[in-house]
Amino acid sequence: DIQMTQSPSSLSASVGDRVTITCRASQSISSYLNWYQQKPGKAPKLLIYAASSLQSGVPSRFSGSGSGTDFTLTISSLQPEDFATYYCQQSYSTSGFGQGTKLEIK
Amino acid sequence: QVTLRESGPALVKPTQTLTLTCTFSGFSLSTSGMCVSWIRQPPGKALEWLARIDWDDDKYYSTSLKTRLTISKDTSKNQVVLTMTNMDPVDTATYYCARKALAAADSYDYWGQGTLVTVSS
């Protein structure tokens, strides 16, 4: 099975900050990497698919990059509604998720 | 408008079999390329992918849980059913069904609201 490792596990930041979350796969997954945002009590929301494609309706401050084994999710200027938990998902071999990164207000 | 809704028991006893139903609308599981998956999330923990069924009835399971899982579909009813045998307290989680997005790297673009299943005697 492909293992997905996110870092950091948690992160404190302020409104307006630029934030980067990293996801590493245990083997190459090409660009089969997706990012989700989850708020408490809610289902995950798709942000980025295929490593760098912005899902329709998602603000342009979210961006993704990477291929192979190393990927990043960047939020260019944090907004109050961005404080949530973020998950990466590989869809190269069936599927699997990272352990999540909780983004908290500093 | 695409919607998915999970249904099933809120409480099951250890060793029992769990049966969950995902009822969806706004798309057809007979459409080429369409898939529905089950994903779960224990309280305060990460998402865990469980199983997937494709439009052509291909089925895929989590390696660690495949001996306990069965996924099936009823295209005429727009439903996907997941059964999990020999339930244990560690299986307590919110269970989600989700639709695979077309032409989007097998991401999940629509999710149900989730159903919390507690395993306790």
Side-chain angles (χ1 to χ4, degrees), chain B residues 21 78 100 107 110 118:
Chain B
T21 301
N78 281 349
K100 192 204 81 169
S107 58
Y110 287 93
T118 301

Side-chain angles (χ1 to χ4, degrees), chain B residues 39-54:
Chain B
I39 296 145
R40 71 178 180 180
Q41 185 172 39
K45 296 189 177 181
L47 300 164
E48 178 182 18
W49 184 87
L50 299 177
R52 186 182 104 191
I53 190 164
D54 294 356

Side-chain angles (χ1 to χ4, degrees), chain B residues 28-39:
Chain B
S28 173
L29 202 39
S30 61
T31 299
S32 178
M34 196 59 68
C35 314
V36 171
S37 289
W38 285 93
I39 296 145

Side-chain angles (χ1 to χ4, degrees), chain A residues 7-88:
Chain A
S7 61
S9 297
S10 63
L11 175 60
S12 295
S14 301
V15 172
D17 284 354
R18 180 184 179 89
V19 167
T20 297
I21 298 169
T22 297
C23 182
R24 174 166 289 176
S26 59
Q27 66 184 73
S28 177
I29 57 171
S30 185
S31 294
Y32 286 87
L33 191 284
N34 310 302
W35 290 98
Y36 299 83
Q37 176 193 68
Q38 187 180 33
K39 295 183 178 179
K42 300 294 186 182
K45 173 188 174 183
L46 178 63
L47 299 175
I48 301 285
Y49 63 90
S52 60
S53 296
L54 193 67
Q55 173 69 353
S56 175
V58 174
S60 59
R61 62 181 180 273
F62 291 92
S63 64
S65 66
S67 66
T69 60
D70 294 318
F71 302 86
T72 59
L73 172 71
T74 299
I75 310 172
S76 60
S77 178
L78 274 173
Q79 299 301 301
E81 60 268 29
D82 299 337
F83 293 94
T85 300
Y86 292 85
Y87 291 95
C88 62

Side-chain angles (χ1 to χ4, degrees), chain B residues 7-121:
Chain B
S7 58
L11 179 66
V12 298
K13 290 180 167 45
T15 75
Q16 286 186 337
T17 294
L18 171 69
T19 299
L20 295 173
T21 301
C22 175
T23 303
F24 57 87
S25 63
F27 67 96
S28 173
L29 202 39
S30 61
T31 299
S32 178
M34 196 59 68
C35 314
V36 171
S37 289
W38 285 93
I39 296 145
R40 71 178 180 180
Q41 185 172 39
K45 296 189 177 181
L47 300 164
E48 178 182 18
W49 184 87
L50 299 177
R52 186 182 104 191
I53 190 164
D54 294 356
W55 83 101
D56 58 0
D57 212 38
D58 279 350
K59 299 164 187 174
Y60 304 87
Y61 296 100
S62 161
T63 301
S64 60
L65 292 168
K66 61 183 177 181
T67 60
R68 299 174 53 205
L69 295 174
T70 303
I71 192 169
S72 62
K73 63 181 174 70
D74 185 331
T75 304
S76 65
K77 293 183 178 179
N78 281 349
Q79 291 182 333
V80 171
V81 175
L82 180 76
T83 62
M84 180 180 291
T85 61
N86 195 25
M87 293 292 286
D88 183 271
V90 300
D91 297 312
T92 293
T94 296
Y95 287 75
Y96 296 99
C97 60
R99 184 189 86 156
K100 192 204 81 169
L102 293 174
D106 291 359
S107 58
Y108 297 107
D109 59 350
Y110 287 93
W111 296 62
Q113 83 279 9
T115 187
L116 176 62
V117 177
T118 301
V119 184
S120 174
S121 55

